[in-house]
Amino acid sequence: GAGVSQSPSNKVTEKGKDVELRCDPISGHTALYWYRQSLGQGLEFLIYFQGNSAPDKSGLPSDRFSAERTGGSVSTLTIQRTQQEDSAVYLCASSSGQGRSDTQYFGPGTRLTVL
Amino acid sequence: AQSVTQPDIHITVSEGASLELRCNYSYGATPYLFWYVQSPGQGLQLLLKYFSGDTLVQGIKGFEAEFKRSQSSFNLRKPSVHWSDAAEYFCAVGPGTSYGKLTFGQGTILTVHP
């Protein structure tokens, strides 16, 4: 079946602009995660959604970052007033959200470059 | 708080040689442990995972890992490396629930010489 997809694959923006990154999880997966991968910080957790529960936003680095998940499926990560330090690869993952052997499957990522 | 340490930033091996990538974790309860591989420009691919039971787990592409609770380690091994194994490898620990964030190590870059 289809895996996790993300769009766009690359995004170049100017400092101060807003950007939206999209994630389509594996069909039927109730849990969805966003991570950020940067040279200085490695792989960092940002936020996750599980079903209808309130999202865990504990990893968001600032209030410029937000995410939503519509209809329990597609998710959008929004970064407002982008800064150069936001340049990174943003990875989305999904999992079934059930059972003790839950496993996250990752998309190819969106490479964000802030000029 | 959970944490993962991969002591080796970069490892170089010859094709056909054996490989061991180290991973040490810190977690208060029984950990869920994972190894992922990332090729240049690609996302993360799951190699193997440990939840419970047999401490030696088999994964894809001929990889295996052994969970050693006494050493808080989950080292990844392969008996004979292929040039296509060149990539970056990440160890991760997850919570002991059905879902939740993964905490990743800093990664180990593997270079394979012909």
Side-chain angles (χ1 to χ4, degrees), chain A residues 33 35 37 99-100 102-104, chain B residues 32 36 38 49 98 100 102:
Chain A
Y33 309 77
Y35 295 84
Q37 185 175 24
R100 297 185 66 232
D102 197 47
T103 299
Q104 296 180 29
Chain B
Y32 288 173
Y36 285 87
Q38 186 178 37
K49 59 189 178 185
S98 61
L102 294 179

Side-chain angles (χ1 to χ4, degrees), chain A residues 58-69:
Chain A
S58 61
L60 295 178
S62 76
D63 58 8
R64 297 187 294 105
F65 288 72
S66 63
E68 64 176 16
R69 188 177 186 191

Side-chain angles (χ1 to χ4, degrees), chain A:
Chain A
V4 178
S5 60
Q6 295 185 243
S7 60
S9 55
N10 282 284
K11 176 72 176 178
V12 180
T13 190
E14 294 179 346
K15 178 182 174 181
K17 301 285 189 182
D18 297 351
V19 296
E20 287 188 349
L21 312 179
R22 176 187 168 103
C23 172
D24 283 89
I26 293 172
S27 177
H29 278 188
T30 61
L32 186 147
Y33 309 77
W34 285 98
Y35 295 84
R36 178 171 70 173
Q37 185 175 24
S38 56
L39 282 177
Q41 301 299 320
L43 270 159
E44 306 172 278
F45 163 77
L46 296 176
I47 185 171
Y48 85 83
F49 301 86
Q50 166 57 7
N52 296 320
S53 303
D56 177 349
K57 304 180 182 179
S58 61
L60 295 178
S62 76
D63 58 8
R64 297 187 294 105
F65 288 72
S66 63
E68 64 176 16
R69 188 177 186 191
T70 54
S73 181
V74 172
S75 176
T76 302
L77 178 69
T78 301
I79 308 174
Q80 296 178 309
R81 306 180 301 281
T82 52
Q83 304 296 311
Q84 289 183 332
E85 60 263 30
D86 299 334
S87 295
V89 176
Y90 289 82
L91 293 167
C92 176
S94 71
S95 71
S96 66
Q98 299 173 9
R100 297 185 66 232
S101 62
D102 197 47
T103 299
Q104 296 180 29
Y105 297 91
F106 284 79
T110 294
R111 180 175 298 277
L112 174 66
T113 303
V114 182
L115 301 176

